[in-house]
Amino acid sequence: MDTDHYRRVLEARRAELDRRLQKIEQDLDQPGNPDDDDRAIERNNDEVLEGLGEAGQKELAAIEAALGRIAAGTFGLCARCGEPIAEERLAAVPHAALCSDCMAEA
């Protein structure tokens, strides 16, 4: 398995998420609009941004864990059963910690 390839993919995704999360944080820090209608729209938008931020943080944690598995030499092995994770699964979700079977059971 070409762990260097996956390391590069994971590091690129980490950098992209960092940029997005910084942008979300900047957007959430903007002062609110004094108009009631606009403030209601901004609150809805903030909720969406917060949801995106939470999802980004979770993915970022999974990427960090995957980079740790690369460093430890366990990348590509299921964290639950120890069997190899299919290349197709890793191509789709490079930070996957579980094989398809264990993921389906979880």
Side-chain angles (χ1 to χ4, degrees):
M1 173 178 303
D2 184 5
T3 56
D4 284 336
H5 164 74
Y6 287 108
R7 182 183 45 74
R8 288 189 302 275
V9 168
L10 290 164
E11 288 173 347
R13 180 65 178 156
R14 178 175 60 186
E16 179 185 339
L17 281 171
D18 282 339
R19 284 189 300 276
R20 284 185 185 180
L21 291 172
Q22 286 176 2
K23 177 71 171 118
I24 288 171
E25 189 173 317
Q26 289 171 355
D27 287 348
L28 288 172
D29 287 344
Q30 294 296 315
N33 193 310
D35 181 59
D36 286 341
D37 290 337
D38 288 342
R39 230 183 8 249
I41 292 169
E42 285 176 356
R43 272 197 301 272
N44 286 337
N45 290 343
D46 287 352
E47 289 176 13
V48 170
L49 287 174
E50 287 171 359
L52 291 172
E54 288 174 15
Q57 290 289 349
K58 287 179 183 178
E59 184 178 354
L60 198 54
I63 287 170
E64 293 297 338
L67 290 169
R69 289 190 301 276
I70 287 173
T74 58
F75 180 81
L77 298 177
C78 179
R80 190 172 186 192
C81 71
E83 292 296 317
I85 299 172
E87 289 279 342
E88 296 82 17
R89 176 154 169 70
L90 289 174
V93 185
H95 56 271
L98 301 175
C99 67
S100 297
D101 290 340
C102 288
M103 186 65 191
E105 291 175 11

